[in-house]
PDB file of all heavy atoms in Angstrom:
ATOM      1  N   GLN A  55      68.832 111.914 123.792  1.00 97.00           N
ATOM      2  CA  GLN A  55      68.410 110.519 123.549  1.00 97.00           C
ATOM      3  C   GLN A  55      68.115 110.264 122.076  1.00 97.00           C
ATOM      4  O   GLN A  55      68.423 109.194 121.550  1.00 97.00           O
ATOM      5  CB  GLN A  55      67.154 110.198 124.383  1.00 97.00           C
ATOM      6  CG  GLN A  55      67.438 110.045 125.870  1.00 97.00           C
ATOM      7  CD  GLN A  55      66.151 109.972 126.699  1.00 97.00           C
ATOM      8  OE1 GLN A  55      65.170 110.642 126.373  1.00 97.00           O
ATOM      9  NE2 GLN A  55      66.160 109.187 127.760  1.00 97.00           N
ATOM     10  N   SER A  56      67.495 111.248 121.408  1.00 97.00           N
ATOM     11  CA  SER A  56      67.184 111.074 119.979  1.00 97.00           C
ATOM     12  C   SER A  56      68.464 110.956 119.165  1.00 97.00           C
ATOM     13  O   SER A  56      68.543 110.156 118.222  1.00 97.00           O
ATOM     14  CB  SER A  56      66.389 112.254 119.436  1.00 97.00           C
ATOM     15  OG  SER A  56      65.265 112.456 120.211  1.00 97.00           O
ATOM     16  N   ALA A  57      69.452 111.773 119.506  1.00 97.00           N
ATOM     17  CA  ALA A  57      70.739 111.698 118.796  1.00 97.00           C
ATOM     18  C   ALA A  57      71.376 110.336 119.053  1.00 97.00           C
ATOM     19  O   ALA A  57      71.912 109.703 118.133  1.00 97.00           O
ATOM     20  CB  ALA A  57      71.664 112.822 119.264  1.00 97.00           C
ATOM     21  N   ALA A  58      71.282 109.863 120.300  1.00 97.00           N
ATOM     22  CA  ALA A  58      71.846 108.552 120.650  1.00 97.00           C
ATOM     23  C   ALA A  58      71.153 107.441 119.858  1.00 97.00           C
ATOM     24  O   ALA A  58      71.793 106.508 119.373  1.00 97.00           O
ATOM     25  CB  ALA A  58      71.708 108.309 122.147  1.00 97.00           C
ATOM     26  N   LEU A  59      69.856 107.592 119.720  1.00 96.00           N
ATOM     27  CA  LEU A  59      69.069 106.589 118.989  1.00 96.00           C
ATOM     28  C   LEU A  59      69.497 106.518 117.518  1.00 96.00           C
ATOM     29  O   LEU A  59      69.618 105.435 116.945  1.00 96.00           O
ATOM     30  CB  LEU A  59      67.586 106.958 119.101  1.00 96.00           C
ATOM     31  CG  LEU A  59      66.580 105.843 118.868  1.00 96.00           C
ATOM     32  CD1 LEU A  59      66.740 104.755 119.926  1.00 96.00           C
ATOM     33  CD2 LEU A  59      65.163 106.397 118.928  1.00 96.00           C
ATOM     34  N   LEU A  60      69.734 107.688 116.922  1.00 96.00           N
ATOM     35  CA  LEU A  60      70.203 107.709 115.526  1.00 96.00           C
ATOM     36  C   LEU A  60      71.552 106.999 115.408  1.00 96.00           C
ATOM     37  O   LEU A  60      71.765 106.211 114.482  1.00 96.00           O
ATOM     38  CB  LEU A  60      70.342 109.157 115.036  1.00 96.00           C
ATOM     39  CG  LEU A  60      69.053 109.911 114.719  1.00 96.00           C
ATOM     40  CD1 LEU A  60      69.382 111.353 114.325  1.00 96.00           C
ATOM     41  CD2 LEU A  60      68.279 109.239 113.585  1.00 96.00           C
ATOM     42  N   LEU A  61      72.444 107.288 116.361  1.00 95.00           N
ATOM     43  CA  LEU A  61      73.766 106.651 116.306  1.00 95.00           C
ATOM     44  C   LEU A  61      73.643 105.139 116.458  1.00 95.00           C
ATOM     45  O   LEU A  61      74.293 104.376 115.754  1.00 95.00           O
ATOM     46  CB  LEU A  61      74.674 107.212 117.415  1.00 95.00           C
ATOM     47  CG  LEU A  61      75.081 108.676 117.275  1.00 95.00           C
ATOM     48  CD1 LEU A  61      75.979 109.099 118.433  1.00 95.00           C
ATOM     49  CD2 LEU A  61      75.817 108.897 115.951  1.00 95.00           C
ATOM     50  N   ARG A  62      72.797 104.715 117.392  1.00 95.00           N
ATOM     51  CA  ARG A  62      72.653 103.268 117.642  1.00 95.00           C
ATOM     52  C   ARG A  62      71.976 102.575 116.466  1.00 95.00           C
ATOM     53  O   ARG A  62      72.351 101.491 116.068  1.00 95.00           O
ATOM     54  CB  ARG A  62      71.852 103.043 118.936  1.00 95.00           C
ATOM     55  CG  ARG A  62      72.656 103.410 120.188  1.00 95.00           C
ATOM     56  CD  ARG A  62      71.772 103.571 121.398  1.00 95.00           C
ATOM     57  NE  ARG A  62      70.926 102.409 121.588  1.00 95.00           N
ATOM     58  CZ  ARG A  62      69.704 102.441 122.131  1.00 95.00           C
ATOM     59  NH1 ARG A  62      69.199 103.567 122.548  1.00 95.00           N
ATOM     60  NH2 ARG A  62      69.006 101.348 122.259  1.00 95.00           N
ATOM     61  N   ARG A  63      70.993 103.228 115.903  1.00 95.00           N
ATOM     62  CA  ARG A  63      70.214 102.614 114.823  1.00 95.00           C
ATOM     63  C   ARG A  63      71.002 102.534 113.520  1.00 95.00           C
ATOM     64  O   ARG A  63      70.907 101.576 112.777  1.00 95.00           O
ATOM     65  CB  ARG A  63      68.930 103.439 114.639  1.00 95.00           C
ATOM     66  CG  ARG A  63      68.113 103.180 113.398  1.00 95.00           C
ATOM     67  CD  ARG A  63      67.232 101.945 113.548  1.00 95.00           C
ATOM     68  NE  ARG A  63      66.455 101.692 112.353  1.00 95.00           N
ATOM     69  CZ  ARG A  63      66.937 101.142 111.236  1.00 95.00           C
ATOM     70  NH1 ARG A  63      68.210 100.794 111.150  1.00 95.00           N
ATOM     71  NH2 ARG A  63      66.148 100.946 110.186  1.00 95.00           N
ATOM     72  N   TYR A  64      71.803 103.581 113.254  1.00 94.00           N
ATOM     73  CA  TYR A  64      72.394 103.676 111.914  1.00 94.00           C
ATOM     74  C   TYR A  64      73.909 103.473 111.866  1.00 94.00           C
ATOM     75  O   TYR A  64      74.467 103.364 110.799  1.00 94.00           O
ATOM     76  CB  TYR A  64      72.048 105.027 111.281  1.00 94.00           C
ATOM     77  CG  TYR A  64      70.563 105.162 110.975  1.00 94.00           C
ATOM     78  CD1 TYR A  64      69.710 105.817 111.844  1.00 94.00           C
ATOM     79  CD2 TYR A  64      70.026 104.576 109.826  1.00 94.00           C
ATOM     80  CE1 TYR A  64      68.347 105.924 111.579  1.00 94.00           C
ATOM     81  CE2 TYR A  64      68.675 104.669 109.555  1.00 94.00           C
ATOM     82  CZ  TYR A  64      67.833 105.343 110.431  1.00 94.00           C
ATOM     83  OH  TYR A  64      66.492 105.428 110.161  1.00 94.00           O
ATOM     84  N   ILE A  65      74.569 103.462 113.019  1.00 93.00           N
ATOM     85  CA  ILE A  65      76.031 103.443 112.932  1.00 93.00           C
ATOM     86  C   ILE A  65      76.734 102.493 113.917  1.00 93.00           C
ATOM     87  O   ILE A  65      77.552 101.674 113.503  1.00 93.00           O
ATOM     88  CB  ILE A  65      76.609 104.871 113.111  1.00 93.00           C
ATOM     89  CG1 ILE A  65      76.013 105.784 112.033  1.00 93.00           C
ATOM     90  CG2 ILE A  65      78.137 104.859 112.983  1.00 93.00           C
ATOM     91  CD1 ILE A  65      76.230 107.229 112.241  1.00 93.00           C
ATOM     92  N   LEU A  66      76.424 102.604 115.173  1.00 92.00           N
ATOM     93  CA  LEU A  66      77.287 101.976 116.185  1.00 92.00           C
ATOM     94  C   LEU A  66      77.122 100.466 116.282  1.00 92.00           C
ATOM     95  O   LEU A  66      76.036  99.929 116.038  1.00 92.00           O
ATOM     96  CB  LEU A  66      76.989 102.596 117.557  1.00 92.00           C
ATOM     97  CG  LEU A  66      77.257 104.099 117.675  1.00 92.00           C
ATOM     98  CD1 LEU A  66      76.864 104.592 119.058  1.00 92.00           C
ATOM     99  CD2 LEU A  66      78.719 104.418 117.378  1.00 92.00           C
ATOM    100  N   ASP A  67      78.213  99.813 116.679  1.00 90.00           N
ATOM    101  CA  ASP A  67      78.113  98.386 116.999  1.00 90.00           C
ATOM    102  C   ASP A  67      77.655  98.263 118.463  1.00 90.00           C
ATOM    103  O   ASP A  67      77.422  99.276 119.139  1.00 90.00           O
ATOM    104  CB  ASP A  67      79.448  97.677 116.746  1.00 90.00           C
ATOM    105  CG  ASP A  67      80.565  98.240 117.610  1.00 90.00           C
ATOM    106  OD1 ASP A  67      80.279  99.006 118.566  1.00 90.00           O
ATOM    107  OD2 ASP A  67      81.739  97.929 117.338  1.00 90.00           O
ATOM    108  N   GLU A  68      77.595  97.034 118.943  1.00 91.00           N
ATOM    109  CA  GLU A  68      77.055  96.788 120.278  1.00 91.00           C
ATOM    110  C   GLU A  68      77.831  97.536 121.372  1.00 91.00           C
ATOM    111  O   GLU A  68      77.249  98.124 122.278  1.00 91.00           O
ATOM    112  CB  GLU A  68      77.116  95.282 120.546  1.00 91.00           C
ATOM    113  CG  GLU A  68      75.931  94.747 121.322  1.00 91.00           C
ATOM    114  CD  GLU A  68      75.978  93.233 121.385  1.00 91.00           C
ATOM    115  OE1 GLU A  68      75.973  92.592 120.309  1.00 91.00           O
ATOM    116  OE2 GLU A  68      76.061  92.717 122.495  1.00 91.00           O
ATOM    117  N   GLN A  69      79.152  97.527 121.230  1.00 92.00           N
ATOM    118  CA  GLN A  69      79.978  98.178 122.249  1.00 92.00           C
ATOM    119  C   GLN A  69      79.769  99.700 122.233  1.00 92.00           C
ATOM    120  O   GLN A  69      79.633 100.331 123.277  1.00 92.00           O
ATOM    121  CB  GLN A  69      81.448  97.844 121.991  1.00 92.00           C
ATOM    122  CG  GLN A  69      82.325  98.139 123.203  1.00 92.00           C
ATOM    123  CD  GLN A  69      83.804  98.190 122.822  1.00 92.00           C
ATOM    124  OE1 GLN A  69      84.229  97.545 121.848  1.00 92.00           O
ATOM    125  NE2 GLN A  69      84.573  98.956 123.573  1.00 92.00           N
ATOM    126  N   GLY A  70      79.735 100.268 121.033  1.00 92.00           N
ATOM    127  CA  GLY A  70      79.501 101.710 120.905  1.00 92.00           C
ATOM    128  C   GLY A  70      78.140 102.099 121.462  1.00 92.00           C
ATOM    129  O   GLY A  70      77.994 103.116 122.149  1.00 92.00           O
ATOM    130  N   ALA A  71      77.143 101.259 121.168  1.00 93.00           N
ATOM    131  CA  ALA A  71      75.785 101.532 121.659  1.00 93.00           C
ATOM    132  C   ALA A  71      75.774 101.529 123.187  1.00 93.00           C
ATOM    133  O   ALA A  71      75.159 102.403 123.820  1.00 93.00           O
ATOM    134  CB  ALA A  71      74.815 100.493 121.119  1.00 93.00           C
ATOM    135  N   ALA A  72      76.500 100.570 123.787  1.00 93.00           N
ATOM    136  CA  ALA A  72      76.545 100.488 125.252  1.00 93.00           C
ATOM    137  C   ALA A  72      77.222 101.728 125.838  1.00 93.00           C
ATOM    138  O   ALA A  72      76.790 102.270 126.857  1.00 93.00           O
ATOM    139  CB  ALA A  72      77.282  99.220 125.670  1.00 93.00           C
ATOM    140  N   GLU A  73      78.278 102.198 125.172  1.00 92.00           N
ATOM    141  CA  GLU A  73      78.990 103.404 125.643  1.00 92.00           C
ATOM    142  C   GLU A  73      78.058 104.616 125.668  1.00 92.00           C
ATOM    143  O   GLU A  73      78.044 105.402 126.608  1.00 92.00           O
ATOM    144  CB  GLU A  73      80.146 103.730 124.692  1.00 92.00           C
ATOM    145  CG  GLU A  73      81.215 102.684 124.659  1.00 92.00           C
ATOM    146  CD  GLU A  73      82.502 103.186 125.288  1.00 92.00           C
ATOM    147  OE1 GLU A  73      82.479 104.266 125.896  1.00 92.00           O
ATOM    148  OE2 GLU A  73      83.513 102.471 125.159  1.00 92.00           O
ATOM    149  N   VAL A  74      77.281 104.752 124.592  1.00 94.00           N
ATOM    150  CA  VAL A  74      76.381 105.894 124.485  1.00 94.00           C
ATOM    151  C   VAL A  74      75.275 105.807 125.535  1.00 94.00           C
ATOM    152  O   VAL A  74      74.914 106.813 126.165  1.00 94.00           O
ATOM    153  CB  VAL A  74      75.814 105.972 123.038  1.00 94.00           C
ATOM    154  CG1 VAL A  74      74.574 106.810 122.983  1.00 94.00           C
ATOM    155  CG2 VAL A  74      76.865 106.555 122.110  1.00 94.00           C
ATOM    156  N   LEU A  75      74.764 104.600 125.756  1.00 94.00           N
ATOM    157  CA  LEU A  75      73.707 104.433 126.761  1.00 94.00           C
ATOM    158  C   LEU A  75      74.234 104.722 128.164  1.00 94.00           C
ATOM    159  O   LEU A  75      73.553 105.342 128.988  1.00 94.00           O
ATOM    160  CB  LEU A  75      73.120 103.017 126.690  1.00 94.00           C
ATOM    161  CG  LEU A  75      72.238 102.755 125.457  1.00 94.00           C
ATOM    162  CD1 LEU A  75      71.758 101.312 125.440  1.00 94.00           C
ATOM    163  CD2 LEU A  75      71.043 103.705 125.415  1.00 94.00           C
ATOM    164  N   ASN A  76      75.468 104.307 128.431  1.00 92.00           N
ATOM    165  CA  ASN A  76      76.081 104.591 129.735  1.00 92.00           C
ATOM    166  C   ASN A  76      76.281 106.078 129.969  1.00 92.00           C
ATOM    167  O   ASN A  76      76.190 106.555 131.091  1.00 92.00           O
ATOM    168  CB  ASN A  76      77.470 103.916 129.821  1.00 92.00           C
ATOM    169  CG  ASN A  76      77.320 102.514 130.344  1.00 92.00           C
ATOM    170  OD1 ASN A  76      76.356 102.208 131.045  1.00 92.00           O
ATOM    171  ND2 ASN A  76      78.263 101.650 129.993  1.00 92.00           N
TER     172      ASN A  76
END
Side-chain angles (χ1 to χ4, degrees):
Q55 287 170 324
S56 306
L59 201 63
L60 285 177
L61 293 180
R62 288 164 52 211
R63 167 81 180 77
Y64 293 97
I65 302 167
L66 298 178
D67 61 12
E68 217 173 301
Q69 196 196 333
E73 296 249 10
V74 161
L75 288 177
N76 272 335

